Each structure stands twice: as structure tokens, then as C-alpha cells.
């Protein structure tokens, strides 16, 4: 009686070994790192590594190690102070087409990395990082909406063949001028049916006839809400696409957004990440190369056109009127053009953009169309190594429209597959619905995070010590087995958090402390049941068997209800609440294993199959 089959004992040993192995990365230190990557097709090289090492040596800085991977260069340091000093040195040495960032990276041995071992992610309150409060420019969102309304009104009136003189925005109204009252009345009736969210009224000044379409207060409120929601989605997609782990991005009030990025140490890079803008514009070409050269030479640009430059520096005249922009792109992916073998971005437009593109290409078959690439780009560095950024607009592709096209097409002319990939990421993430302004920015240093970790670790140790002491005093030998299971439970929690790459926050540590107290509940129920069986005269072996068997259903019911509560917290909560729910749920699962299977395995090894007259309980 009270013996496990060999496979069950081996299963317990295997689970514990895996747990120890994947919990191991968390004991290694996190090194301060300066990470260097290339932009616009630039790649890290041995010569760049040598230049960086030489610059650091001249500055009297000795890195712990310099590592070069396929797409990045990591310079490790022993102390954060050396990392910050090295940042200035590296910034002055780097060419304009390279960027650097401050981060923390675990110093793991190669064999542990080879099996996928990683430390658990730490939240902003433990690891340190960046907290940013963003204000959304709602006035700009309303203005942009009115510009779109003007374009839509013009298109609608043209499709209905209703002749107008002018269409322009005036505050939150669209004012349309006509030559006669009859056309005005007919147009207003048709427009009122199409633009139901606007309030229409007629105006006359004796010589001209107008109708005014005003955006209602309810519609303005909806525009503001939509702008805020779109900005939150865009920022979340952008952060996720560019690889920042476990960010918190959520609304605060009516026009503000909170962004928390654990582990990020460089506020400048965060600003670049959040405000990064790259988009495409499609315009018809106006005039030939000779006219463009003349416009550049004289500075006189023909009406209705704008002067641009191609990537080779050649001037080109494009029509001011846009066909479609990045705002109307619902998806984008990078790849290679099958015919030319060059880098390409494959674009899908929304319904309005597709209709607009099809109409324009149908009317202009045989004419050239240009693709304008707009990006806020680093164009150099000042004497302190600080990046100088400015808006760059350049024509990356000019092609003749061979046949009409609409929703899906491709754009070529990019420098490299890396540039195509970055552009596709930003287009896929979407454009910001309204400009943003960073109104508050806090950098939480690793030292403060370390204080939280130390306090959290102390609370776990104190809580566990009290539980261990109580179990040994009250349940003697069986209590020591329960304490061993409690220790193994903590190892398994850390291992699962590491394997799942879940984020541990300060509330998560509270969940672990709670789990420490709850983990022995199952053993208390089992041990009390064993005591009851001994009290009614059962043999020690029968008491052990009955204690585990009869307490099982009660233990399952109690833990399942707690697991449901954790699932609800995870579903409706966010940020720290989710962190608490994750650690609580993982703690429940691991404590069930260690308290029932683990302790039974140890008890069986001690007492199973032996003549026992008394139990140490």
C-alpha cells in the first residue's frame, strides 16, 4: 500500500528537473547594454565593431563584452554608469544610418540559451523603464476630419454632376457655393441624404448661393473618441510590431494615453518609437522633366503642382491633389517584386481609397503616377552626438498607369528589403489619427526596481519562513514534507513564468506571497484527514491512503473556484491586475501538483510498503 508506480515517480523527478533548469536563468545578472542596429538597409559589421571598441578605449571605458549578431551589436558593461558614459561616446561615433538604444540583457551561458532558457519578464515597477503620458491634439483631429469631409463633398457633387463654384471648410462647417438657387437646393437635398450626420442650411448673399453643412456636437464627440481609440490601437500595434515586450497602453481621461515600457531606459528612443511616422502618398505627375528643372531653377512652380525630388536628386512636378495616402491603407506587407527582383511593399486599401484609386487610374490610363515616401529621418548628428531629424519627402517610384487598378497593388523603389519591412510595419500599424504631445515622462531606474524586488523577495522569504515554522511545529515530519513541497512550488512558479515569458510585477509578487499561504492548504486538509483516520483506529498505512483519497475532492473544489476568480481578474483587468491574476493562477496549478502528487511521492518513499506503528504527524 502507498506505493507509486515507477513512471509516476519518474514524472515527478522530470517535472522538478525541468523546473529547476528553466528557473535557473533568473539567478544570472542583467547587464546594462548599449544595442546598435542599422537603419535603411545598413548592417553591423566587423569594421563598425572595431571603430566602437576603439572609441570606447580612447574614452577610458572597458566593456564587459562586445557581441555581434546578425542584425545588431551589443556592448555589455558591468555598471549602469559606464553604460550611460558609453552612450555619449557611441552616439558621436555612429554614422547617421545607425541607431542605438539602452537596455538590459541577461548574461546567460551558451548552453542555457541553446535550450531556450530565459529569465522571466519584469514589469516597470521591478525592472525599471519608461512611463509616458501622451496628450492627443483633438483640434487637429477635428480639422483633419473636416478636410476629409471637404474632399468627400467635392467627390459626391461631381458624381451627381451638380456644378458648384467652391467647396471649403469654415470651422466645423463645410460651405459650398453655387451660381443659382435651383442647383443649390437640388445639391443640398441630395447631400443631406448622403451626409446624414451633418446639419444643412441655405444661405444667400444676393450674388451667390450657398449651403452650409455643420458637424453636430454628437458627431464631434464621436470624432474625438474615434481619434483617441485609433491612436491607442496604433501605438499598441507599433510597439508590438517593433518588439517591446509587455507594454501597457491605455486611456486616461478624455484625451490622454498612458504608455509604460518595462526595461526601456532611453527616453529619446521611446519618443522616436511613439511618434515615428512613415507613409506613402500617391500623386499624378504634372509636366515633363524640362518643366520640373525650370521650376527648380526659377523657384516658380505652376499652379496646382508641387516640386519634389526623386532619390537620385532629379526634380519632378506632381499635382497637389492626393489620390490616396497611408491613412487609407488597411494592410501592408513587404516582399520582393517578381519581375524586377527589387524590394516592394504590397498594399491593400479601404473601400473609399480603392474607389478613389480606381476612378483616378481609369481616367488617367497611359499617364505617369508617382509614389511619395514621407519619413521623419535622422539626417546627421550635432557636435554632442545628438541626432538631427527632419521630414524628408522623396519620390521613390514613377510608373505609367497601364490599366485601372483599385484595392490591391504593390509599390517598388525602396532601397532595401529592410526599409520595405519597416515601412510595411508602420503602415500596418496605421497612422496616428491626431498628433500627439508627450506631456509627462518618467524614467524609473533599475535601482528603484531593485528596491522593489528586494522588498518583494523579503516578503516572500518572511511569509515562507512563518509557514515553514508553523508546519514543522504542528505537523512534525509530515510538516517538513509539506515545507519541501512549498519550496519546490516556488521553483515551479518561477520556471513557468520564465517559460511563458509572463511579466512579473509588484502585484504579481503579492500573488506569489498569497500562493505561499494557500499552497499548504491542501496539505493541511490531507494531514487533518490522516489524523482523523488515526483517531478512529485506522492503521497508519490506511490512514495515509484515506487522507489523500478523501481530501482530494475538497481540494479540487477549493482550487477550481480560486482559479475561476483568477481567470475573471485576468479577463476584465489590465496591467498590474493581470499580473496578480497570472501568478495566482500559476501558483494554484503548481501547488496542486506539489501538494498532492509531490508530497504523496515523498510520503510513499518514507512510509510506503513498510510496517509502521506510528506516524510523525
Amino acid at each position: 500500500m502507498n506505493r507509486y508506480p515507477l513512471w509516476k515517480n519518474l514524472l515527478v523527478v522530470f517535472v522538478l528537473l525541468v523546473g529547476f533548469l528553466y528557473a535557473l536563468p533568473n539567478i544570472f545578472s542583467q547587464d546594462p547594454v548599449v544595442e546598435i542596429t542599422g537603419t535603411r538597409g545598413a548592417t553591423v559589421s566587423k569594421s563598425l565593431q572595431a571603430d566602437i571598441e576603439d572609441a570606447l578605449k580612447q574614452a577610458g571605458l572597458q566593456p564587459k563584452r562586445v557581441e555581434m549578431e546578425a542584425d545588431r551589436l551589443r556592448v555589455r558593461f558591468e555598471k549602469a554608469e559606464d553604460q550611460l558614459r558609453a552612450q555619449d561616446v557611441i552616439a558621436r561615433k555612429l554614422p547617421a544610418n545607425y541607431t542605438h538604444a539602452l537596455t538590459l540583457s541577461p548574461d546567460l551561458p551558451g548552453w542555457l540559451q541553446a535550450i531556450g532558457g530565459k529569465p522571466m519578464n519584469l514589469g516597470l515597477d521591478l525592472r525599471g523603464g519608461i512611463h509616458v503620458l501622451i496628450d492627443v491634439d483633438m483640434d487637429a483631429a477635428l480639422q483633419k476630419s473636416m478636410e476629409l469631409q471637404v474632399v468627400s463633398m467635392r467627390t459626391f457633387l461631381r458624381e451627381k454632376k451638380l456644378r458648384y463654384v467652391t467647396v471649403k471648410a469654415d470651422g466645423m462647417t463645410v460651405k459650398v457655393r453655387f451660381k443659382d438657387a435651383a442647383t443649390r437646393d437640388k445639391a443640398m437635398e441630395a447631400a443631406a441624404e448622403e451626409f446624414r450626420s451633418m446639419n444643412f442650411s441655405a444661405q444667400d448673399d444676393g450674388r451667390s448661393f450657398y449651403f452650409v453643412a455643420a458637424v453636430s456636437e454628437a458627431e464631434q464627440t464621436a470624432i474625438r473618441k474615434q481619434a483617441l481609440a485609433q491612436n491607442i490601437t496604433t501605438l499598441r500595434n507599433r510597439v508590438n510590431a517593433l518588439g517591446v515586450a509587455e507594454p501597457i497602453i491605455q486611456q486616461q481621461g478624455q484625451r490622454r494615453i498612458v504608455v509604460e515600457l518595462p526595461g526601456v531606459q532611453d527616453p529619446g528612443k521611446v519618443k522616436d518609437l511613439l511618434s515615428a511616422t512613415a507613409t506613402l502618398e500617391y500623386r499624378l505627375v504634372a509636366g515633363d522633366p524640362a518643366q520640373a528643372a525650370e521650376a527648380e531653377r526659377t523657384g516658380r512652380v505652376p499652379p496646382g503642382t508641387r516640386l519634389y525630388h526623386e532619390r537620385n536628386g532629379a526634380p519632378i512636378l506632381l499635382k497637389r491633389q492626393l489620390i490616396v495616402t497611408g491613412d487609407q491603407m488597411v494592410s501592408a506587407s513587404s516582399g520582393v517584386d517578381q519581375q524586377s527582383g527589387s524590394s516592394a511593399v504590397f498594399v491593400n486599401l479601404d473601400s473609399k481609397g480603392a474607389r478613389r484609386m480606381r476612378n483616378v487610374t481609369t481616367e488617367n490610363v497611359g499617364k505617369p503616377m508617382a509614389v511619395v515616401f514621407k519619413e521623419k529621418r535622422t539626417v546627421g548628428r550635432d557636435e554632442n552626438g545628438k541626432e538631427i531629424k527632419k521630414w524628408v519627402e522623396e519620390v521613390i517610384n514613377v510608373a505609367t498607369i497601364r490599366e485601372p487598378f483599385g484595392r490591391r497593388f504593390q509599390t517598388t523603389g525602396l532601397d532595401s528589403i529592410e526599409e520595405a519591412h519597416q515601412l510595411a510595419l508602420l503602415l500596418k500599424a496605421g497612422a496616428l489619427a491626431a498628433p500627439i504631445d508627450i506631456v509627462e515622462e518618467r524614467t524609473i531606474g533599475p535601482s528603484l526596481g531593485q528596491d522593489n524586488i528586494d522588498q518583494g523577495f523579503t516578503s516572500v522569504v518572511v511569509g515562507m519562513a512563518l509557514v515553514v515554522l508553523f508546519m514543522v511545529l504542528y505537523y512534525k515530519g509530515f510538516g517538513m514534507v509539506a515545507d519541501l513541497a512549498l519550496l519546490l512550488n516556488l521553483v515551479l512558479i518561477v520556471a513557468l513564468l520564465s517559460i511563458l515569458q509572463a511579466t512579473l510585477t509588484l502585484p504579481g509578487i503579492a500573488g506569489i506571497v498569497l500562493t505561499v499561504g494557500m499552497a499548504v492548504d491542501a496539505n493541511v486538509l490531507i494531514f487533518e484527514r490522516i489524523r482523523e483516520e488515526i483517531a478512529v483506529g485506522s492503521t497508519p498505512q490506511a490512514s495515509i491512503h484515506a487522507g489523500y483519497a478523501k481530501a482530494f475532492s475538497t481540494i479540487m473544489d477549493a482550487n477550481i473556484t480560486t482559479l475561476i476568480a483568477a481567470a475573471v481578474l485576468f479577463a476584465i483587468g489590465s496591467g498590474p491586475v493581470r499580473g496578480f491574476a497570472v501568478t495566482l493562477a500559476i501558483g494554484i496549478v503548481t501547488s496542486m501538483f506539489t501538494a498532492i502528487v509531490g508530497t504523496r511521492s515523498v510520503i510513499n518513499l518514507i512510509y510506503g510498503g513498510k510496517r509502521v506503528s506510528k506516524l510523525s504527524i
Side-chain angles (χ1 to χ4, degrees):
M1 184 179 283
N2 296 321
R3 287 183 176 180
Y4 267 167
L6 179 62
W7 70 266
K8 199 172 265 190
N9 285 321
L10 291 177
L11 174 64
V12 173
V13 173
F14 174 76
V15 170
L16 294 179
L17 284 176
V18 171
F20 275 107
L21 196 61
Y22 283 94
L24 193 60
N26 294 280
I27 70 172
F28 290 91
S29 62
Q30 296 266 357
D31 290 336
V33 173
V34 180
E35 193 170 270
I36 300 166
T37 54
T39 61
R40 297 179 57 76
T43 57
V44 296
S45 61
K46 289 290 186 182
S47 60
L48 177 66
Q49 179 179 348
D51 290 343
I52 295 298
E53 289 177 342
D54 184 58
L56 292 173
K57 185 177 180 180
Q58 292 180 12
L61 290 167
Q62 181 60 45
K64 179 179 180 180
R65 191 165 63 251
V66 180
E67 304 168 339
M68 190 167 71
E69 297 182 2
D71 60 343
R72 66 195 61 215
L73 188 69
R74 284 196 179 98
V75 186
R76 293 180 177 271
F77 294 92
E78 296 283 358
K79 297 183 292 184
E81 293 80 2
D82 292 342
Q83 178 200 37
L84 295 175
R85 287 176 57 203
Q87 177 192 19
D88 297 332
V89 175
I90 291 172
R92 286 193 292 268
K93 190 67 178 177
L94 280 180
N97 55 343
Y98 287 88
T99 184
H100 69 283
L102 303 183
T103 185
L104 296 172
S105 178
D107 189 14
L108 300 180
W111 66 268
L112 201 51
Q113 295 183 44
I115 63 172
K118 295 179 181 179
M120 71 181 96
N121 290 320
L122 299 180
L124 189 69
D125 47 2
L126 299 180
R127 188 180 182 184
I130 305 294
H131 169 95
V132 178
L133 180 62
I134 293 172
D135 184 71
V136 180
D137 189 345
M138 292 302 180
D139 292 336
L142 293 172
Q143 181 181 353
K144 183 177 180 181
S145 175
M146 292 309 300
E147 291 173 358
L148 293 175
Q149 292 283 15
V150 168
V151 173
S152 299
M153 187 69 74
R154 285 192 185 123
T155 303
F156 172 76
L157 294 175
R158 285 173 186 163
E159 290 176 351
K160 294 295 184 181
K161 295 181 172 55
L162 296 167
R163 296 180 63 85
Y164 60 87
V165 178
T166 59
V167 179
K168 62 180 182 180
D170 183 10
M172 293 308 297
T173 64
V174 177
K175 197 170 184 179
V176 187
R177 180 185 170 196
F178 297 87
K179 289 184 178 179
D180 60 85
T183 306
R184 187 271 314 276
D185 293 342
K186 184 178 179 181
M188 186 170 71
E189 183 180 356
E193 185 68 24
E194 177 71 13
F195 300 89
R196 296 177 179 270
S197 62
M198 305 182 80
N199 301 320
F200 288 80
S201 61
Q203 292 182 3
D204 298 329
D205 63 4
R207 291 175 298 176
S208 299
F209 303 88
Y210 300 86
F211 75 67
V212 177
V215 179
S216 66
E217 286 295 331
E219 182 66 15
Q220 291 182 41
T221 301
I223 292 170
R224 293 187 185 97
K225 287 182 178 179
Q226 183 179 1
L228 187 65
Q230 183 178 331
N231 272 12
I232 290 174
T233 301
T234 298
L235 293 175
R236 182 176 288 115
N237 291 342
R238 189 172 290 180
V239 169
N240 290 342
L242 296 179
V244 178
E246 299 296 336
I248 296 174
I249 303 172
Q250 57 192 14
Q251 179 179 344
Q252 184 180 88
Q254 299 300 313
R255 55 180 292 159
R256 292 190 169 181
I257 303 171
V258 173
V259 178
E260 293 185 352
L261 304 178
V264 178
Q265 296 174 272
D266 193 338
K269 295 300 173 187
V270 171
K271 290 179 181 178
D272 291 344
L273 175 69
L274 299 180
S275 59
T277 303
T279 189
L280 298 176
E281 293 180 352
Y282 295 81
R283 299 174 183 267
L284 291 173
V285 176
D288 55 32
Q291 290 174 307
E294 179 67 16
E296 183 175 43
R297 186 181 65 82
T298 62
R300 292 194 295 270
V301 179
T305 67
R306 284 186 61 186
L307 182 65
Y308 288 85
H309 290 85
E310 299 184 58
R311 283 194 159 169
N312 60 9
I316 183 172
L317 286 172
L318 304 182
K319 291 187 177 181
R320 284 185 173 273
Q321 188 172 14
L322 281 167
I323 303 173
V324 294
T325 67
D327 294 351
Q328 295 164 296
M329 297 175 191
V330 295
S331 67
S333 60
S334 60
V336 177
D337 178 36
Q338 296 299 319
Q339 295 182 352
S340 65
S342 61
S343 304
V345 173
F346 301 91
V347 172
N348 277 324
L349 298 176
D350 61 18
S351 57
K352 288 185 178 180
R355 186 166 59 249
R356 170 74 175 159
M357 180 63 81
R358 182 164 295 279
N359 290 340
V360 171
T361 54
T362 300
E363 296 171 359
N364 294 277
V365 171
K367 297 180 181 178
M369 182 175 69
V371 184
V372 182
F373 178 40
K374 297 178 63 176
E375 181 186 30
K376 199 168 188 179
R377 185 182 303 165
T378 299
V379 295
R381 299 178 188 273
D382 60 20
E383 63 276 6
N384 297 319
K386 187 177 180 181
E387 294 176 343
I388 302 172
K389 292 181 176 289
K390 73 173 186 178
W391 278 102
V392 176
E393 295 182 330
E394 55 188 0
V395 175
I396 62 172
N397 181 279
V398 179
T400 301
I401 301 171
R402 299 299 182 189
E403 61 184 13
F405 57 87
R407 183 177 297 275
R408 179 170 172 80
F409 54 91
Q410 71 179 38
T411 294
T412 58
L414 296 156
D415 280 347
S416 65
I417 190 65
E418 289 81 9
E419 184 180 34
H421 177 65
Q422 289 297 322
L423 176 60
L425 283 179
L426 291 172
L427 290 173
K428 184 163 57 177
L432 292 170
I436 61 173
D437 181 34
I438 296 177
V439 297
E440 182 185 342
E441 175 187 313
R442 294 201 307 270
T443 302
I444 300 175
S447 59
L448 179 59
Q450 189 61 48
D451 289 342
N452 289 335
I453 293 174
D454 294 341
Q455 292 172 8
F457 181 76
T458 301
S459 65
V460 172
V461 169
V462 170
M464 185 172 177
L466 292 174
V467 172
V468 166
L469 183 62
F470 170 79
M471 293 298 290
V472 170
L473 292 177
Y474 197 72
Y475 292 109
K476 301 177 183 177
F478 275 69
M480 293 179 67
V481 173
D483 292 337
L484 175 62
L486 184 60
L487 177 62
L488 296 177
N489 180 47
L490 285 176
V491 172
L492 292 180
I493 290 174
V494 173
L496 277 175
L497 287 171
S498 302
I499 292 171
L500 298 175
Q501 285 294 282
T503 298
L504 180 66
T505 61
L506 206 55
I509 291 180
I512 294 177
V513 175
L514 178 61
T515 302
V516 167
M518 294 175 58
V520 295
D521 281 358
N523 290 126
V524 169
L525 289 171
I526 293 168
F527 297 165
E528 287 298 325
R529 190 70 192 185
I530 293 174
R531 282 180 168 181
E532 290 175 4
E533 294 294 326
I534 293 174
V536 297
S538 298
T539 64
Q541 295 289 0
S543 298
I544 293 173
H545 179 78
Y548 278 93
K550 294 180 179 180
F552 181 77
S553 60
T554 304
I555 295 169
M556 284 293 293
D557 290 344
N559 282 278
I560 286 175
T561 53
T562 308
L563 198 60
I564 291 172
V568 172
L569 282 175
F570 184 84
I572 66 175
S574 63
V577 175
R578 282 193 166 192
F580 176 82
V582 168
T583 53
L584 180 61
I586 290 175
I588 290 169
V589 173
T590 56
S591 66
M592 288 278 288
F593 177 81
T594 55
I596 298 175
V597 180
T599 59
R600 182 70 185 271
S601 179
V602 175
I603 295 296
N604 286 351
L605 289 174
I606 297 173
Y607 294 106
K610 301 176 182 177
R611 289 184 175 275
V612 180
S613 60
K614 186 178 179 182
L615 298 177
S616 178
I617 193 171

